[in-house]
Amino acid sequence: MCSHQAPARIASTAFNQITAGRGATSICSICRTLTSSSASHNILSKLTNYEQQGVPAGSGTLSGSNNFDLGRMHRLLAALGNPHKQWPVIHVAGSKGKGSTATMISSILRSSGYSVGLYTSPHLLSITERINVQGSPISRLAFEALEAEHAALIAKQLEAEGGRLSHFEALTALAFRHFADQ
C-alpha cells in the first residue's frame, strides 16, 4: 500500500480482470498507486511523496534560488554505484509533453536496434509503469525484488539525509539501477 493508506475501490470489470489474482486490489485515491492486500510493506511507502504534497521549505530547495539541490540524489546514486553513468541518456524536460516525447524517442531507438530503458512519471494505475525496458513495464515481482534488494541502502541514505530523501528520488535511482543491471 502507498504511504497514504487511503485506497479507493475499483469497480471496473476490465481493471479487475487485469489485476486478477492479486488479492483485494485498489488504487490510492491520492497518488494513484496500485495496491493489493497481498502487497508487502516496502521502503518506498515510508518516503515522503513530494509529487503529491509539493516540496516544503528545507526539503531540497536552495534559499532565495530557483535551483533544486541535487546533492541528495548524487549521494544516493553514488551509494548505488552510479548506475546512471553506465549508459547514454536522453533527458526530456519541460512542462508539457515529456511522456509522449520520451515514449516516441524510446520507440524510435528500439526500432533502430537499441536497448532502451524508459522512466516516466507520474504513473496512471501502477508504479511499475514508470520503469520500462524495451517497451515493457517492469513486472510487479521484479519491482518488489528491486526494492527489497536495495531497501537497506535506501533506509541508510534516508537516515544520512535527515529523513529528507523523497519517494521520487529513491524510485528514480532504483530505475537507474534496474536499467544498469539489464
Side-chain angles (χ1 to χ4, degrees):
M1 182 163 297
C2 70
S3 60
H4 302 104
Q5 306 290 318
R9 274 283 183 247
I10 299 302
S12 165
T13 303
F15 179 82
N16 290 333
Q17 289 171 350
I18 291 169
T19 59
R22 293 186 187 200
T25 304
S26 58
I27 294 180
C28 174
S29 58
I30 298 169
C31 70
R32 307 292 297 160
T33 296
L34 177 70
T35 62
S36 166
S37 62
S38 62
S40 60
H41 292 285
N42 55 50
I43 189 70
L44 290 176
S45 69
K46 295 173 175 62
L47 301 175
T48 302
N49 190 335
Y50 294 128
E51 292 174 68
Q52 298 299 318
Q53 299 174 8
V55 180
S59 292
T61 56
L62 299 173
S63 297
S65 172
N66 290 330
N67 297 321
F68 197 81
D69 177 12
L70 295 175
R72 285 193 311 268
M73 191 66 177
H74 287 291
R75 290 184 292 274
L76 175 58
L77 288 168
L80 285 168
N82 288 314
H84 62 300
K85 294 182 177 181
Q86 296 177 17
W87 71 91
V89 172
I90 297 174
H91 182 180
V92 179
S95 60
K96 302 286 184 212
K98 295 178 298 294
S100 298
T101 301
T103 300
M104 284 187 268
I105 292 169
S106 173
S107 179
I108 291 166
L109 290 171
R110 284 193 329 268
S111 68
S112 298
Y114 290 93
S115 179
V116 178
L118 174 65
Y119 178 74
T120 57
S121 176
H123 57 274
L124 297 176
L125 295 176
S126 172
I127 198 165
T128 60
E129 295 169 22
R130 294 185 183 203
I131 303 172
N132 280 263
V133 174
Q134 292 303 99
S136 296
I138 188 172
S139 72
R140 173 61 70 178
L141 290 177
F143 180 81
E144 290 173 357
L146 176 68
E147 186 178 12
E149 179 181 352
H150 301 289
L153 183 142
I154 292 171
K156 181 179 176 184
Q157 288 299 120
L158 178 63
E159 184 178 335
E161 298 295 343
R164 291 188 174 149
L165 188 65
S166 73
H167 180 272
F168 180 81
E169 290 164 334
L171 183 57
T172 302
L174 287 175
F176 289 164
R177 181 72 267 160
H178 180 69
F179 297 150
D181 292 343
Q182 297 302 299

Short mmCIF file of all heavy atoms in Angstrom, two decimals, residues 120-170:
data_model
loop_
_atom_site.label_atom_id
_atom_site.label_comp_id
_atom_site.label_asym_id
_atom_site.label_seq_id
_atom_site.Cartn_x
_atom_site.Cartn_y
_atom_site.Cartn_z
N THR A 120 9.34 7.22 -16.70
CA THR A 120 8.39 8.32 -16.79
C THR A 120 7.69 8.51 -15.45
O THR A 120 7.63 7.60 -14.63
CB THR A 120 7.33 8.06 -17.88
OG1 THR A 120 6.66 6.84 -17.60
CG2 THR A 120 7.98 8.00 -19.27
N SER A 121 7.15 9.68 -15.27
CA SER A 121 6.42 10.00 -14.05
C SER A 121 5.42 11.09 -14.39
O SER A 121 5.74 11.99 -15.17
CB SER A 121 7.41 10.49 -12.99
OG SER A 121 6.74 10.88 -11.83
N PRO A 122 4.24 11.02 -13.83
CA PRO A 122 3.72 10.03 -12.88
C PRO A 122 3.19 8.79 -13.61
O PRO A 122 3.29 8.71 -14.84
CB PRO A 122 2.57 10.77 -12.20
CG PRO A 122 2.04 11.67 -13.28
CD PRO A 122 3.27 12.08 -14.09
N HIS A 123 2.64 7.87 -12.85
CA HIS A 123 2.02 6.68 -13.44
C HIS A 123 0.50 6.84 -13.38
O HIS A 123 -0.02 7.70 -12.68
CB HIS A 123 2.46 5.42 -12.71
CG HIS A 123 2.17 5.45 -11.24
ND1 HIS A 123 3.02 6.01 -10.33
CD2 HIS A 123 1.11 4.99 -10.53
CE1 HIS A 123 2.51 5.90 -9.11
NE2 HIS A 123 1.34 5.29 -9.20
N LEU A 124 -0.20 6.00 -14.15
CA LEU A 124 -1.66 6.06 -14.16
C LEU A 124 -2.28 5.06 -13.20
O LEU A 124 -3.12 5.41 -12.38
CB LEU A 124 -2.20 5.82 -15.58
CG LEU A 124 -1.78 6.86 -16.62
CD1 LEU A 124 -2.29 6.46 -17.99
CD2 LEU A 124 -2.28 8.24 -16.23
N LEU A 125 -1.90 3.79 -13.31
CA LEU A 125 -2.51 2.75 -12.48
C LEU A 125 -1.52 2.08 -11.54
O LEU A 125 -1.87 1.75 -10.42
CB LEU A 125 -3.16 1.67 -13.36
CG LEU A 125 -4.34 2.13 -14.21
CD1 LEU A 125 -4.83 0.97 -15.09
CD2 LEU A 125 -5.47 2.65 -13.34
N SER A 126 -0.32 1.84 -12.02
CA SER A 126 0.65 1.09 -11.22
C SER A 126 2.01 1.76 -11.28
O SER A 126 2.45 2.19 -12.35
CB SER A 126 0.76 -0.35 -11.75
OG SER A 126 1.82 -1.03 -11.12
N ILE A 127 2.69 1.79 -10.18
CA ILE A 127 4.01 2.39 -10.11
C ILE A 127 4.99 1.69 -11.05
O ILE A 127 5.95 2.29 -11.52
CB ILE A 127 4.52 2.40 -8.65
CG1 ILE A 127 5.66 3.39 -8.49
CG2 ILE A 127 4.90 1.00 -8.20
CD1 ILE A 127 5.96 3.71 -7.05
N THR A 128 4.71 0.44 -11.39
CA THR A 128 5.59 -0.30 -12.30
C THR A 128 5.58 0.29 -13.71
O THR A 128 6.51 0.04 -14.48
CB THR A 128 5.21 -1.80 -12.35
OG1 THR A 128 3.86 -1.91 -12.82
CG2 THR A 128 5.34 -2.45 -10.99
N GLU A 129 4.58 1.06 -14.05
CA GLU A 129 4.51 1.72 -15.37
C GLU A 129 5.68 2.67 -15.58
O GLU A 129 6.04 2.97 -16.72
CB GLU A 129 3.23 2.54 -15.50
CG GLU A 129 1.96 1.76 -15.48
CD GLU A 129 0.75 2.67 -15.36
OE1 GLU A 129 0.84 3.88 -15.69
OE2 GLU A 129 -0.29 2.18 -14.91
N ARG A 130 6.24 3.17 -14.51
CA ARG A 130 7.30 4.18 -14.62
C ARG A 130 8.61 3.61 -15.16
O ARG A 130 9.42 4.35 -15.69
CB ARG A 130 7.57 4.81 -13.25
CG ARG A 130 6.41 5.62 -12.72
CD ARG A 130 6.80 6.29 -11.43
NE ARG A 130 5.70 7.02 -10.86
CZ ARG A 130 5.84 8.03 -10.01
NH1 ARG A 130 7.05 8.41 -9.64
NH2 ARG A 130 4.80 8.64 -9.52
N ILE A 131 8.85 2.33 -14.96
CA ILE A 131 10.12 1.71 -15.34
C ILE A 131 9.86 0.73 -16.48
O ILE A 131 9.24 -0.31 -16.28
CB ILE A 131 10.76 0.98 -14.14
CG1 ILE A 131 10.96 1.95 -12.97
CG2 ILE A 131 12.07 0.33 -14.56
CD1 ILE A 131 11.41 1.28 -11.68
N ASN A 132 10.32 1.08 -17.67
CA ASN A 132 10.12 0.26 -18.86
C ASN A 132 11.47 -0.13 -19.46
O ASN A 132 12.38 0.69 -19.55
CB ASN A 132 9.36 1.04 -19.94
CG ASN A 132 7.89 1.07 -19.69
OD1 ASN A 132 7.17 0.27 -20.26
ND2 ASN A 132 7.44 2.00 -18.84
N VAL A 133 11.57 -1.38 -19.88
CA VAL A 133 12.73 -1.85 -20.64
C VAL A 133 12.20 -2.47 -21.92
O VAL A 133 11.32 -3.34 -21.87
CB VAL A 133 13.57 -2.87 -19.83
CG1 VAL A 133 14.69 -3.44 -20.70
CG2 VAL A 133 14.14 -2.22 -18.57
N GLN A 134 12.70 -1.98 -23.04
CA GLN A 134 12.29 -2.46 -24.35
C GLN A 134 10.78 -2.38 -24.55
O GLN A 134 10.17 -3.25 -25.16
CB GLN A 134 12.80 -3.89 -24.59
CG GLN A 134 14.31 -4.00 -24.73
CD GLN A 134 14.87 -3.14 -25.83
OE1 GLN A 134 15.36 -2.05 -25.57
NE2 GLN A 134 14.78 -3.58 -27.06
N GLY A 135 10.16 -1.34 -24.00
CA GLY A 135 8.74 -1.09 -24.21
C GLY A 135 7.81 -1.82 -23.27
O GLY A 135 6.59 -1.69 -23.38
N SER A 136 8.36 -2.58 -22.33
CA SER A 136 7.53 -3.32 -21.38
C SER A 136 7.80 -2.85 -19.96
O SER A 136 8.97 -2.72 -19.56
CB SER A 136 7.81 -4.82 -21.47
OG SER A 136 7.47 -5.31 -22.74
N PRO A 137 6.74 -2.61 -19.19
CA PRO A 137 6.96 -2.20 -17.80
C PRO A 137 7.58 -3.33 -16.98
O PRO A 137 7.39 -4.51 -17.28
CB PRO A 137 5.56 -1.86 -17.29
CG PRO A 137 4.62 -2.52 -18.23
CD PRO A 137 5.33 -2.69 -19.53
N ILE A 138 8.32 -2.94 -15.98
CA ILE A 138 8.89 -3.91 -15.05
C ILE A 138 7.73 -4.69 -14.41
O ILE A 138 6.67 -4.12 -14.13
CB ILE A 138 9.76 -3.20 -13.98
CG1 ILE A 138 10.51 -4.20 -13.11
CG2 ILE A 138 8.93 -2.24 -13.15
CD1 ILE A 138 11.52 -3.53 -12.18
N SER A 139 7.91 -5.97 -14.22
CA SER A 139 6.85 -6.77 -13.59
C SER A 139 6.75 -6.40 -12.11
O SER A 139 7.69 -5.89 -11.51
CB SER A 139 7.15 -8.27 -13.73
OG SER A 139 8.22 -8.64 -12.88
N ARG A 140 5.60 -6.67 -11.53
CA ARG A 140 5.40 -6.39 -10.11
C ARG A 140 6.43 -7.15 -9.27
O ARG A 140 7.03 -6.61 -8.35
CB ARG A 140 3.97 -6.76 -9.70
CG ARG A 140 3.66 -6.69 -8.21
CD ARG A 140 3.81 -5.34 -7.60
NE ARG A 140 2.80 -4.41 -8.02
CZ ARG A 140 2.71 -3.17 -7.56
NH1 ARG A 140 3.53 -2.73 -6.67
NH2 ARG A 140 1.79 -2.36 -8.02
N LEU A 141 6.68 -8.42 -9.62
CA LEU A 141 7.65 -9.23 -8.87
C LEU A 141 9.06 -8.66 -9.00
O LEU A 141 9.80 -8.59 -8.02
CB LEU A 141 7.61 -10.68 -9.34
CG LEU A 141 6.35 -11.46 -8.95
CD1 LEU A 141 6.40 -12.87 -9.53
CD2 LEU A 141 6.19 -11.51 -7.44
N ALA A 142 9.45 -8.27 -10.22
CA ALA A 142 10.78 -7.69 -10.42
C ALA A 142 10.91 -6.36 -9.68
O ALA A 142 11.96 -6.06 -9.11
CB ALA A 142 11.07 -7.53 -11.91
N PHE A 143 9.84 -5.57 -9.68
CA PHE A 143 9.85 -4.30 -8.96
C PHE A 143 10.03 -4.53 -7.46
O PHE A 143 10.85 -3.88 -6.81
CB PHE A 143 8.56 -3.52 -9.23
CG PHE A 143 8.51 -2.20 -8.52
CD1 PHE A 143 9.15 -1.09 -9.04
CD2 PHE A 143 7.83 -2.07 -7.31
CE1 PHE A 143 9.12 0.13 -8.39
CE2 PHE A 143 7.78 -0.87 -6.65
CZ PHE A 143 8.43 0.24 -7.19
N GLU A 144 9.26 -5.46 -6.92
CA GLU A 144 9.37 -5.75 -5.49
C GLU A 144 10.75 -6.30 -5.14
O GLU A 144 11.31 -5.97 -4.09
CB GLU A 144 8.26 -6.71 -5.07
CG GLU A 144 6.89 -6.06 -5.08
CD GLU A 144 5.74 -7.03 -4.84
OE1 GLU A 144 5.98 -8.25 -4.70
OE2 GLU A 144 4.59 -6.56 -4.80
N ALA A 145 11.33 -7.12 -6.02
CA ALA A 145 12.68 -7.65 -5.79
C ALA A 145 13.72 -6.53 -5.83
O ALA A 145 14.64 -6.49 -5.01
CB ALA A 145 13.01 -8.73 -6.82
N LEU A 146 13.58 -5.62 -6.79
CA LEU A 146 14.49 -4.47 -6.90
C LEU A 146 14.44 -3.63 -5.64
O LEU A 146 15.47 -3.26 -5.07
CB LEU A 146 14.10 -3.63 -8.13
CG LEU A 146 14.87 -2.34 -8.37
CD1 LEU A 146 16.31 -2.63 -8.76
CD2 LEU A 146 14.18 -1.51 -9.46
N GLU A 147 13.24 -3.35 -5.20
CA GLU A 147 13.07 -2.55 -3.98
C GLU A 147 13.63 -3.27 -2.76
O GLU A 147 14.35 -2.67 -1.95
CB GLU A 147 11.59 -2.22 -3.78
CG GLU A 147 11.35 -1.28 -2.64
CD GLU A 147 9.90 -0.92 -2.48
OE1 GLU A 147 9.03 -1.56 -3.10
OE2 GLU A 147 9.64 0.01 -1.71
N ALA A 148 13.33 -4.55 -2.64
CA ALA A 148 13.81 -5.32 -1.49
C ALA A 148 15.33 -5.40 -1.47
O ALA A 148 15.96 -5.29 -0.41
CB ALA A 148 13.20 -6.72 -1.50
N GLU A 149 15.92 -5.58 -2.66
CA GLU A 149 17.38 -5.70 -2.75
C GLU A 149 18.09 -4.44 -2.26
O GLU A 149 19.17 -4.51 -1.68
CB GLU A 149 17.78 -5.98 -4.20
CG GLU A 149 19.27 -6.10 -4.42
CD GLU A 149 19.66 -6.35 -5.86
OE1 GLU A 149 18.76 -6.59 -6.70
OE2 GLU A 149 20.86 -6.30 -6.16
N HIS A 150 17.48 -3.29 -2.46
CA HIS A 150 18.13 -2.02 -2.12
C HIS A 150 17.48 -1.30 -0.94
O HIS A 150 17.85 -0.16 -0.64
CB HIS A 150 18.15 -1.13 -3.36
CG HIS A 150 18.88 -1.75 -4.50
ND1 HIS A 150 20.25 -1.91 -4.51
CD2 HIS A 150 18.44 -2.29 -5.66
CE1 HIS A 150 20.62 -2.51 -5.63
NE2 HIS A 150 19.53 -2.76 -6.34
N ALA A 151 16.55 -1.95 -0.26
CA ALA A 151 15.83 -1.30 0.85
C ALA A 151 16.76 -0.86 1.97
O ALA A 151 16.61 0.26 2.48
CB ALA A 151 14.75 -2.23 1.39
N ALA A 152 17.71 -1.69 2.34
CA ALA A 152 18.62 -1.34 3.43
C ALA A 152 19.47 -0.14 3.05
O ALA A 152 19.69 0.77 3.87
CB ALA A 152 19.49 -2.53 3.81
N LEU A 153 19.95 -0.09 1.83
CA LEU A 153 20.76 1.03 1.36
C LEU A 153 19.92 2.31 1.35
O LEU A 153 20.39 3.36 1.79
CB LEU A 153 21.30 0.74 -0.04
CG LEU A 153 22.23 1.80 -0.61
CD1 LEU A 153 23.34 1.15 -1.40
CD2 LEU A 153 21.45 2.76 -1.48
N ILE A 154 18.69 2.22 0.88
CA ILE A 154 17.82 3.40 0.85
C ILE A 154 17.51 3.87 2.26
O ILE A 154 17.53 5.07 2.55
CB ILE A 154 16.54 3.12 0.04
CG1 ILE A 154 16.90 2.95 -1.44
CG2 ILE A 154 15.52 4.25 0.22
CD1 ILE A 154 15.77 2.45 -2.30
N ALA A 155 17.25 2.94 3.16
CA ALA A 155 16.99 3.30 4.56
C ALA A 155 18.21 4.00 5.17
O ALA A 155 18.07 4.98 5.90
CB ALA A 155 16.62 2.06 5.36
N LYS A 156 19.40 3.51 4.85
CA LYS A 156 20.64 4.12 5.36
C LYS A 156 20.79 5.53 4.80
O LYS A 156 21.14 6.46 5.54
CB LYS A 156 21.84 3.25 4.97
CG LYS A 156 23.16 3.78 5.45
CD LYS A 156 24.29 2.84 5.05
CE LYS A 156 25.63 3.42 5.44
NZ LYS A 156 26.74 2.57 4.99
N GLN A 157 20.51 5.70 3.51
CA GLN A 157 20.60 7.03 2.89
C GLN A 157 19.54 7.97 3.47
O GLN A 157 19.80 9.15 3.68
CB GLN A 157 20.45 6.94 1.38
CG GLN A 157 21.64 6.34 0.67
CD GLN A 157 22.91 7.14 0.88
OE1 GLN A 157 23.89 6.61 1.41
NE2 GLN A 157 22.92 8.39 0.49
N LEU A 158 18.35 7.44 3.72
CA LEU A 158 17.29 8.24 4.32
C LEU A 158 17.74 8.80 5.66
O LEU A 158 17.56 9.99 5.95
CB LEU A 158 16.02 7.40 4.48
CG LEU A 158 14.82 8.07 5.14
CD1 LEU A 158 14.33 9.25 4.31
CD2 LEU A 158 13.70 7.06 5.35
N GLU A 159 18.36 7.96 6.46
CA GLU A 159 18.87 8.39 7.76
C GLU A 159 19.98 9.42 7.58
O GLU A 159 20.01 10.44 8.27
CB GLU A 159 19.37 7.19 8.56
CG GLU A 159 19.84 7.55 9.95
CD GLU A 159 20.28 6.33 10.74
OE1 GLU A 159 19.84 5.21 10.46
OE2 GLU A 159 21.08 6.54 11.68
N ALA A 160 20.90 9.14 6.66
CA ALA A 160 22.02 10.06 6.42
C ALA A 160 21.54 11.43 5.93
O ALA A 160 22.20 12.44 6.18
CB ALA A 160 22.99 9.45 5.41
N GLU A 161 20.41 11.45 5.25
CA GLU A 161 19.86 12.70 4.72
C GLU A 161 18.88 13.36 5.70
O GLU A 161 18.14 14.26 5.32
CB GLU A 161 19.17 12.46 3.38
CG GLU A 161 20.07 11.95 2.28
CD GLU A 161 21.16 12.94 1.86
OE1 GLU A 161 21.03 14.14 2.17
OE2 GLU A 161 22.13 12.51 1.22
N GLY A 162 18.86 12.91 6.92
CA GLY A 162 17.99 13.51 7.92
C GLY A 162 16.52 13.33 7.63
O GLY A 162 15.71 14.18 7.95
N GLY A 163 16.17 12.21 6.96
CA GLY A 163 14.78 11.92 6.65
C GLY A 163 14.25 12.63 5.42
O GLY A 163 13.06 12.57 5.13
N ARG A 164 15.11 13.31 4.68
CA ARG A 164 14.65 14.14 3.56
C ARG A 164 14.73 13.45 2.20
O ARG A 164 14.44 14.08 1.19
CB ARG A 164 15.42 15.44 3.52
CG ARG A 164 15.05 16.34 4.68
CD ARG A 164 15.66 17.69 4.51
NE ARG A 164 15.19 18.58 5.56
CZ ARG A 164 15.88 19.56 6.05
NH1 ARG A 164 17.08 19.80 5.59
NH2 ARG A 164 15.37 20.32 6.99
N LEU A 165 15.13 12.23 2.12
CA LEU A 165 15.14 11.52 0.84
C LEU A 165 13.69 11.30 0.42
O LEU A 165 12.86 10.84 1.20
CB LEU A 165 15.85 10.17 1.00
CG LEU A 165 16.11 9.38 -0.26
CD1 LEU A 165 17.07 10.13 -1.17
CD2 LEU A 165 16.68 8.02 0.09
N SER A 166 13.38 11.63 -0.81
CA SER A 166 11.99 11.56 -1.25
C SER A 166 11.68 10.27 -2.00
O SER A 166 12.57 9.58 -2.49
CB SER A 166 11.64 12.76 -2.14
OG SER A 166 12.24 12.61 -3.42
N HIS A 167 10.41 9.97 -2.09
CA HIS A 167 9.90 8.84 -2.86
C HIS A 167 10.38 8.93 -4.30
O HIS A 167 10.88 7.95 -4.87
CB HIS A 167 8.36 8.89 -2.79
CG HIS A 167 7.67 7.81 -3.52
ND1 HIS A 167 7.34 7.91 -4.86
CD2 HIS A 167 7.22 6.60 -3.12
CE1 HIS A 167 6.72 6.81 -5.25
NE2 HIS A 167 6.63 6.00 -4.21
N PHE A 168 10.27 10.09 -4.92
CA PHE A 168 10.68 10.28 -6.31
C PHE A 168 12.18 10.03 -6.49
O PHE A 168 12.60 9.36 -7.43
CB PHE A 168 10.32 11.68 -6.79
CG PHE A 168 10.72 11.93 -8.22
CD1 PHE A 168 9.93 11.48 -9.26
CD2 PHE A 168 11.88 12.62 -8.51
CE1 PHE A 168 10.30 11.69 -10.59
CE2 PHE A 168 12.26 12.84 -9.83
CZ PHE A 168 11.47 12.38 -10.87
N GLU A 169 12.99 10.56 -5.58
CA GLU A 169 14.43 10.37 -5.68
C GLU A 169 14.79 8.88 -5.59
O GLU A 169 15.58 8.39 -6.40
CB GLU A 169 15.15 11.15 -4.57
CG GLU A 169 15.09 12.64 -4.78
CD GLU A 169 15.45 13.45 -3.55
OE1 GLU A 169 15.28 12.95 -2.40
OE2 GLU A 169 15.88 14.60 -3.72
N ALA A 170 14.22 8.19 -4.62
CA ALA A 170 14.53 6.77 -4.44
C ALA A 170 14.03 5.95 -5.64
O ALA A 170 14.74 5.06 -6.13
CB ALA A 170 13.92 6.25 -3.14
#
